[in-house]
Amino acid sequence: MSTDEVRSNDAALAKVDTKLEIVVIPVSDVDRAKEFYGGRLGWRLDADYDNGSDYRVVQFTPPGSGCSVIFGKNVTAAVPGSAQGLYLIVSDIAAARKELLGRGVEVGEVFHGSNGVYAGPDEPYLFGRIRVSGPDPDHRSYRSFASFSDPDGNGWLFQEITTRLPGRIAGDTSYASARDLSQALRRAAAAHGEHEKRTGGQRDENWPDWYAEYMVREQSGEEPPQ
């Protein structure tokens, strides 16, 4: 049986939604981590609970994320700083980096991989790669990154995605924030401008339908309308 057949069968059997909602990160100083994720990154504080003696759990959620992080006292046996390759997906990596820099967070320069080579000594999480300065020259989805760490050294990566690969989005088309939606509308507007050029420069009265189809196809990874 081929790998494709295995994947197809697995997908057919997956009838129950199984949503990743929590990632546990190990920290050495709970209050310091709380100030970083809330005060510096600006993430939403969902909970801060302790039993008054040997247990404390703090939960934060990044803007627009369906998954949260928790840390605290006696919530994990992992070594502080050992969590690496934690991906934060953004639609505009330059804007995301600028925002954190404005908050006083040290963020590395935007980089991309070396011709798709997932090897080398530069940040070997998740794949390991040779970093090349600057965003992907063709601004392809999944190819541009920027990294930062929390005070313990837990490593985070921004990854820019504007168009998903086929099959990567389940359910209805949705956008995590007003910013993501506005960026999608701008991409649709630019693509529609090219469409009107190809059709002789005539104004398209049905542009809302064209925008809608473009945005749905873009997010599902399908070929966009021409």
Side-chain angles (χ1 to χ4, degrees):
M1 181 179 291
S2 71
T3 302
D4 288 342
E5 289 173 327
V6 171
R7 289 174 178 167
S8 177
N9 290 339
D10 288 346
L13 292 172
K15 300 296 185 181
V16 179
D17 285 351
T18 308
K19 300 177 181 179
L20 178 66
E21 290 208 1
I22 296 291
V23 172
V24 181
I25 56 175
V27 304
S28 59
D29 185 319
V30 181
D31 288 322
R32 182 179 67 173
K34 181 179 177 180
E35 193 282 328
F36 177 79
Y37 286 98
R40 299 287 292 283
L41 296 187
W43 293 6
R44 186 186 73 219
L45 175 64
D46 300 321
D48 185 351
Y49 168 80
D50 71 81
N51 66 359
S53 58
D54 63 348
Y55 179 77
R56 182 181 177 188
V57 61
V58 180
Q59 177 174 316
F60 279 98
T61 302
S65 176
C67 184
S68 304
V69 299
I70 65 172
F71 52 83
K73 182 179 181 180
N74 289 331
V75 298
T76 176
V79 177
S82 61
Q84 301 294 326
L86 300 168
Y87 278 58
L88 294 168
I89 305 308
V90 297
S91 60
D92 186 332
I93 199 165
R97 180 175 180 272
K98 181 179 180 181
E99 180 177 330
L100 287 202
L101 288 172
R103 290 177 171 272
V105 178
E106 185 176 342
V107 186
E109 296 291 336
V110 176
F111 68 92
H112 63 281
S114 177
N115 296 321
V117 176
Y118 296 105
D122 298 330
E123 288 285 345
Y125 312 103
L126 182 57
F127 299 105
R129 58 179 45 81
I130 300 173
R131 293 186 173 188
V132 180
S133 181
D136 178 71
D138 297 320
H139 296 281
R140 294 169 293 179
S141 282
Y142 301 94
R143 302 299 181 92
S144 298
F145 305 86
S147 64
F148 67 94
S149 298
D150 71 9
D152 282 288
N154 294 303
W156 294 89
L157 279 171
F158 282 137
Q159 182 182 34
E160 185 177 80
I161 299 178
T162 55
T163 303
R164 295 277 181 175
L165 292 172
R168 299 300 175 91
I169 293 292
D172 297 333
T173 300
S174 62
Y175 295 92
S177 66
R179 175 183 288 175
D180 280 358
L181 177 57
S182 67
Q183 291 292 335
L185 285 166
R186 287 188 176 92
R187 292 192 297 273
H192 189 260
E194 295 302 315
H195 165 73
E196 288 185 326
K197 289 179 184 178
R198 288 191 293 270
T199 56
Q202 296 293 324
R203 185 176 185 275
D204 180 10
E205 297 294 338
N206 294 318
W207 66 265
D209 296 333
W210 199 98
Y211 273 43
E213 184 177 3
Y214 181 94
M215 293 166 70
V216 169
R217 289 192 185 186
E218 179 187 62
Q219 197 171 80
S220 66
E222 298 178 28
E223 183 71 22
Q226 301 297 317

